[in-house]
Amino acid sequence: MAILDLWSYSDDSQVFQNITNLDCVAGHFVSFVILSLVLVIKIICAQPKRAFFVFGDSLVDSGNNDYLATTARADAPPYGIDYPTRRPTGRFSNGLNIPDLISEQLGLEPTLPYLNPQLTGEKLLVGANFASAGIGILNDTGFQFVHIIHIYKQLKLFEHYQERLGAHIGAEGARRLVNGALVLITLGGNDFVNNYYLVPYSARSRQFSLPDYVRYLISEYRKILRRLYDLGGRRVIVTGTGPMGCVPAELATRSRNGDCDEELQRAASLFNPQLVNMISGLNQEVGADVFVAANAYRMHMDFITDPQAYGFVTSKVACCGQGPYNGVGLCTPLSNLCPNRDLYAFWDSFHPSEKANRIIVQQILAGSTQYMHPMNLSTIMALDSFTT
């Protein structure tokens, strides 16, 4: 029985049943092993729940933009149609998004948006979501959305959060909570679709060839991750870009026959491997596997290339929208709306449905090194339980 399997057990009798099936132990040694492992499992289960911090764009924004004067919003129906309250929450989803589902899988309370006035007192111990729809690695990404929280502003708010947390539980307690927290950061897609390829002959496309632009993005992303480390992040999941050329918005505007746009796919194929290499180098620099790369491209392509295998009827047409592939414009109360969101890989023109997000989160939790490098989240949790 693997250690990761043991992690899922909290019932002593079940542990006993599994361990006694092992052929390689006998007699008193069996009893010793059983008692030792039961003790370890009880210690694991008694660990305090860790905080969770989220940074990035609309894929992980849980409602910060609701508090901003911006057009990058998801605060009107039918957003949230499958959320427990059946109301819009600012999430760019029909229901739960990736941070929600990670919290759910780990038994954590969902993180509140940092701008939510309810984030006070004991709620600070849960963590916070700093993400803001429309942002990218670069500050000029998403300029058309006006008032959004660019990534360095998110990191500045993280500093303010730590000051507030320190006032609540003391500076040393705040440091321990932040160092022991799980962090998720999702950036990069908007730097292509809402910057480099936003319009023909954009400022960035005139400044850089695509390979040079990707190298520039990676160098800037490295500074962001290093700053996150300096602010106390010690377990950071970093997602790469998804298959940008395959989302309904790009099929509607850039594809002639329903195939994924080759240029945006090329951008993703350049960006993602360099991101993994950068993360490996950064881990070597800090002397630990602090940063973990999540291969969002492959996670998405699994159900894009074979939607039926995952229970979807289509991965081309968005559930909510209008125009070709329901990929034109925003999801609004006047949009076409599919009756069963679980049958669609994409909720709106850019964002996965809750069901697709669940598939992605399962790979984050338990995926092989083809999806998670150098380890998945279950391995992180198991390793950390023995060192806390």
PDB file of all heavy atoms in Angstrom, residues 248-249 251-253 316-318 322-328:
ATOM      1  N   PRO A 248     -13.460  28.917 -27.624  1.00  0.00           N
ATOM      2  CA  PRO A 248     -14.502  29.351 -28.571  1.00  0.00           C
ATOM      3  C   PRO A 248     -14.294  30.756 -29.124  1.00  0.00           C
ATOM      4  O   PRO A 248     -14.601  31.012 -30.293  1.00  0.00           O
ATOM      5  CB  PRO A 248     -15.784  29.256 -27.733  1.00  0.00           C
ATOM      6  CG  PRO A 248     -15.500  28.155 -26.754  1.00  0.00           C
ATOM      7  CD  PRO A 248     -14.051  28.304 -26.407  1.00  0.00           C
ATOM      8  N   ALA A 249     -13.767  31.680 -28.322  1.00  0.00           N
ATOM      9  CA  ALA A 249     -13.550  33.046 -28.810  1.00  0.00           C
ATOM     10  C   ALA A 249     -12.597  33.067 -29.992  1.00  0.00           C
ATOM     11  O   ALA A 249     -12.797  33.821 -30.960  1.00  0.00           O
ATOM     12  CB  ALA A 249     -13.019  33.927 -27.679  1.00  0.00           C
ATOM     13  N   LEU A 251     -11.864  30.402 -31.942  1.00  0.00           N
ATOM     14  CA  LEU A 251     -12.479  29.677 -33.058  1.00  0.00           C
ATOM     15  C   LEU A 251     -13.410  30.605 -33.837  1.00  0.00           C
ATOM     16  O   LEU A 251     -13.493  30.543 -35.059  1.00  0.00           O
ATOM     17  CB  LEU A 251     -13.262  28.469 -32.540  1.00  0.00           C
ATOM     18  CG  LEU A 251     -12.460  27.358 -31.861  1.00  0.00           C
ATOM     19  CD1 LEU A 251     -13.392  26.205 -31.483  1.00  0.00           C
ATOM     20  CD2 LEU A 251     -11.328  26.850 -32.743  1.00  0.00           C
ATOM     21  N   ALA A 252     -14.119  31.481 -33.098  1.00  0.00           N
ATOM     22  CA  ALA A 252     -15.075  32.389 -33.735  1.00  0.00           C
ATOM     23  C   ALA A 252     -14.397  33.466 -34.564  1.00  0.00           C
ATOM     24  O   ALA A 252     -14.928  33.891 -35.593  1.00  0.00           O
ATOM     25  CB  ALA A 252     -15.965  33.026 -32.671  1.00  0.00           C
ATOM     26  N   THR A 253     -13.229  33.914 -34.138  1.00  0.00           N
ATOM     27  CA  THR A 253     -12.605  35.073 -34.784  1.00  0.00           C
ATOM     28  C   THR A 253     -11.399  34.739 -35.648  1.00  0.00           C
ATOM     29  O   THR A 253     -11.060  35.504 -36.548  1.00  0.00           O
ATOM     30  CB  THR A 253     -12.162  36.098 -33.721  1.00  0.00           C
ATOM     31  OG1 THR A 253     -11.248  35.464 -32.807  1.00  0.00           O
ATOM     32  CG2 THR A 253     -13.358  36.625 -32.942  1.00  0.00           C
ATOM     33  N   LYS A 316     -15.955  22.695 -28.620  1.00  0.00           N
ATOM     34  CA  LYS A 316     -15.804  23.840 -29.511  1.00  0.00           C
ATOM     35  C   LYS A 316     -16.809  24.945 -29.202  1.00  0.00           C
ATOM     36  O   LYS A 316     -16.473  26.129 -29.248  1.00  0.00           O
ATOM     37  CB  LYS A 316     -15.965  23.409 -30.972  1.00  0.00           C
ATOM     38  CG  LYS A 316     -14.872  22.460 -31.465  1.00  0.00           C
ATOM     39  CD  LYS A 316     -15.082  22.128 -32.929  1.00  0.00           C
ATOM     40  CE  LYS A 316     -14.037  21.137 -33.436  1.00  0.00           C
ATOM     41  NZ  LYS A 316     -12.681  21.709 -33.430  1.00  0.00           N
ATOM     42  N   VAL A 317     -18.023  24.572 -28.904  1.00  0.00           N
ATOM     43  CA  VAL A 317     -19.097  25.545 -28.686  1.00  0.00           C
ATOM     44  C   VAL A 317     -19.212  25.851 -27.199  1.00  0.00           C
ATOM     45  O   VAL A 317     -19.277  24.940 -26.367  1.00  0.00           O
ATOM     46  CB  VAL A 317     -20.441  24.999 -29.206  1.00  0.00           C
ATOM     47  CG1 VAL A 317     -21.552  26.029 -28.982  1.00  0.00           C
ATOM     48  CG2 VAL A 317     -20.327  24.627 -30.671  1.00  0.00           C
ATOM     49  N   ALA A 318     -19.205  27.133 -26.855  1.00  0.00           N
ATOM     50  CA  ALA A 318     -19.397  27.532 -25.459  1.00  0.00           C
ATOM     51  C   ALA A 318     -20.851  27.319 -25.055  1.00  0.00           C
ATOM     52  O   ALA A 318     -21.758  27.423 -25.879  1.00  0.00           O
ATOM     53  CB  ALA A 318     -19.007  28.992 -25.265  1.00  0.00           C
ATOM     54  N   GLN A 322     -22.863  33.903 -28.010  1.00  0.00           N
ATOM     55  CA  GLN A 322     -23.568  34.149 -29.257  1.00  0.00           C
ATOM     56  C   GLN A 322     -22.559  34.129 -30.402  1.00  0.00           C
ATOM     57  O   GLN A 322     -21.354  34.142 -30.160  1.00  0.00           O
ATOM     58  CB  GLN A 322     -24.310  35.486 -29.241  1.00  0.00           C
ATOM     59  CG  GLN A 322     -23.505  36.663 -28.728  1.00  0.00           C
ATOM     60  CD  GLN A 322     -23.480  36.765 -27.222  1.00  0.00           C
ATOM     61  OE1 GLN A 322     -24.493  36.604 -26.571  1.00  0.00           O
ATOM     62  NE2 GLN A 322     -22.299  37.027 -26.661  1.00  0.00           N
ATOM     63  N   GLY A 323     -23.091  34.086 -31.615  1.00  0.00           N
ATOM     64  CA  GLY A 323     -22.206  34.055 -32.766  1.00  0.00           C
ATOM     65  C   GLY A 323     -21.642  32.665 -32.998  1.00  0.00           C
ATOM     66  O   GLY A 323     -22.039  31.696 -32.343  1.00  0.00           O
ATOM     67  N   PRO A 324     -20.693  32.540 -33.934  1.00  0.00           N
ATOM     68  CA  PRO A 324     -20.076  31.232 -34.187  1.00  0.00           C
ATOM     69  C   PRO A 324     -19.485  30.640 -32.914  1.00  0.00           C
ATOM     70  O   PRO A 324     -18.799  31.337 -32.154  1.00  0.00           O
ATOM     71  CB  PRO A 324     -18.977  31.556 -35.211  1.00  0.00           C
ATOM     72  CG  PRO A 324     -19.407  32.829 -35.848  1.00  0.00           C
ATOM     73  CD  PRO A 324     -20.142  33.601 -34.793  1.00  0.00           C
ATOM     74  N   TYR A 325     -19.783  29.394 -32.657  1.00  0.00           N
ATOM     75  CA  TYR A 325     -19.280  28.662 -31.487  1.00  0.00           C
ATOM     76  C   TYR A 325     -19.681  29.324 -30.170  1.00  0.00           C
ATOM     77  O   TYR A 325     -19.104  29.039 -29.132  1.00  0.00           O
ATOM     78  CB  TYR A 325     -17.752  28.505 -31.547  1.00  0.00           C
ATOM     79  CG  TYR A 325     -17.264  27.916 -32.842  1.00  0.00           C
ATOM     80  CD1 TYR A 325     -16.719  28.731 -33.841  1.00  0.00           C
ATOM     81  CD2 TYR A 325     -17.370  26.555 -33.093  1.00  0.00           C
ATOM     82  CE1 TYR A 325     -16.298  28.195 -35.056  1.00  0.00           C
ATOM     83  CE2 TYR A 325     -16.945  26.014 -34.298  1.00  0.00           C
ATOM     84  CZ  TYR A 325     -16.417  26.836 -35.275  1.00  0.00           C
ATOM     85  OH  TYR A 325     -16.005  26.297 -36.468  1.00  0.00           O
ATOM     86  N   ASN A 326     -20.686  30.201 -30.199  1.00  0.00           N
ATOM     87  CA  ASN A 326     -21.049  31.007 -29.017  1.00  0.00           C
ATOM     88  C   ASN A 326     -19.816  31.729 -28.472  1.00  0.00           C
ATOM     89  O   ASN A 326     -19.691  31.961 -27.258  1.00  0.00           O
ATOM     90  CB  ASN A 326     -21.676  30.145 -27.916  1.00  0.00           C
ATOM     91  CG  ASN A 326     -23.162  29.930 -28.118  1.00  0.00           C
ATOM     92  OD1 ASN A 326     -23.798  30.624 -28.917  1.00  0.00           O
ATOM     93  ND2 ASN A 326     -23.717  28.955 -27.414  1.00  0.00           N
ATOM     94  N   GLY A 327     -18.927  32.113 -29.388  1.00  0.00           N
ATOM     95  CA  GLY A 327     -17.639  32.664 -28.974  1.00  0.00           C
ATOM     96  C   GLY A 327     -17.485  34.158 -29.156  1.00  0.00           C
ATOM     97  O   GLY A 327     -16.382  34.689 -28.976  1.00  0.00           O
ATOM     98  N   VAL A 328     -18.573  34.847 -29.493  1.00  0.00           N
ATOM     99  CA  VAL A 328     -18.476  36.281 -29.739  1.00  0.00           C
ATOM    100  C   VAL A 328     -19.050  37.049 -28.554  1.00  0.00           C
ATOM    101  O   VAL A 328     -20.181  36.812 -28.125  1.00  0.00           O
ATOM    102  CB  VAL A 328     -19.240  36.670 -31.021  1.00  0.00           C
ATOM    103  CG1 VAL A 328     -19.185  38.178 -31.233  1.00  0.00           C
ATOM    104  CG2 VAL A 328     -18.664  35.934 -32.229  1.00  0.00           C
TER     105      VAL A 328
END
